[in-house]
Amino acid sequence: MLLKRPWSAWTRWRKRRPFAGGLLMIAAGIEMVLVARLPVELALQLGVGAVSTFLFSGMLVVLGFITWFTPGQHTITGSLAGFIGLGALILSNLGGLVIGTLLALAGGGMAFAWRPVARPPRKRRGRRRRTGAPAVTSDDDPTEPLPASARRADD
């Protein structure tokens, strides 16, 4: 009973955002760093190839979290993750032995393609309010045809 409420809140939070896309982006960033397994000092000595691994991995993790916490930016984060994944393929140990690139492309595609689901309408409680709008009479009927004198000549 105690876990039911937090679990339903977690499920509601997860379903209102591109969760799977962000998770794959974060997994891609972590995978690229784990494949490299370089100390930072050695990476700085090796140059662009090693430093780009840390940069691309960090950017993918940050994009994953941005996708989770600001779902309105899903198109931007999804497309950037795809571009970073392709860049990592060239500059970062084949993008984490191609696995990181594939994870980044899949996560970016899922985030880019995500669409928010409309919430179900809330149930109203209590009595309904009256709008107070006047009823339409036959004199005010907007669907009546115009008299012949009011029509344009080209009709």
Side-chain angles (χ1 to χ4, degrees), residues 5 16 21 27 33 47 71 73 105 111 137 140-141:
R5 185 166 174 88
R16 290 183 183 163
V33 166
Q73 304 296 326
L105 289 174
T137 62
D140 300 336
D141 189 13

Side-chain angles (χ1 to χ4, degrees), residues 144-152 155:
E144 284 186 23
L146 292 173
S149 60
R151 292 186 189 159
R152 293 191 315 191
D155 283 342

Side-chain angles (χ1 to χ4, degrees), residues 3-56:
L3 292 177
K4 187 173 183 179
R5 185 166 174 88
W7 187 257
S8 65
W10 162 253
T11 303
R12 217 175 318 116
W13 181 84
R14 186 176 41 89
K15 288 187 177 184
R16 290 183 183 163
R17 56 200 73 244
F19 183 78
L23 184 64
L24 287 177
M25 287 182 218
I26 293 169
I30 291 172
E31 194 274 335
M32 284 183 197
V33 166
L34 290 179
V35 166
R37 292 187 189 170
L38 291 175
V40 177
E41 296 83 19
L42 181 61
L44 291 175
Q45 291 175 358
L46 292 176
V48 174
V51 173
S52 65
T53 301
F54 292 116
L55 289 176
F56 288 152

Side-chain angles (χ1 to χ4, degrees), residues 15-154:
K15 288 187 177 184
R16 290 183 183 163
R17 56 200 73 244
F19 183 78
L23 184 64
L24 287 177
M25 287 182 218
I26 293 169
I30 291 172
E31 194 274 335
M32 284 183 197
V33 166
L34 290 179
V35 166
R37 292 187 189 170
L38 291 175
V40 177
E41 296 83 19
L42 181 61
L44 291 175
Q45 291 175 358
L46 292 176
V48 174
V51 173
S52 65
T53 301
F54 292 116
L55 289 176
F56 288 152
S57 301
M59 286 190 287
L60 281 170
V61 170
V62 168
L63 284 173
F65 283 119
I66 289 173
T67 303
W68 280 354
F69 294 112
T70 56
Q73 304 296 326
H74 66 96
T75 54
I76 295 168
T77 58
S79 59
L80 284 176
F83 292 137
I84 290 171
L86 289 175
L89 185 63
I90 298 167
L91 293 173
S92 174
N93 299 326
L94 289 176
L97 300 177
V98 183
I99 297 169
T101 295
L102 292 176
L103 287 172
L105 289 174
M110 289 174 75
F112 185 81
W114 177 79
R115 293 289 173 240
V117 178
R119 293 182 184 173
R122 298 178 100 185
K123 294 179 182 176
R124 291 184 174 236
R125 295 184 182 195
R127 297 187 330 178
R128 289 187 177 180
R129 296 180 188 170
R130 292 187 178 178
T131 58
V136 177
T137 62
S138 63
D139 298 334
D140 300 336
D141 189 13
T143 59
E144 284 186 23
L146 292 173
S149 60
R151 292 186 189 159
R152 293 191 315 191
D154 60 343

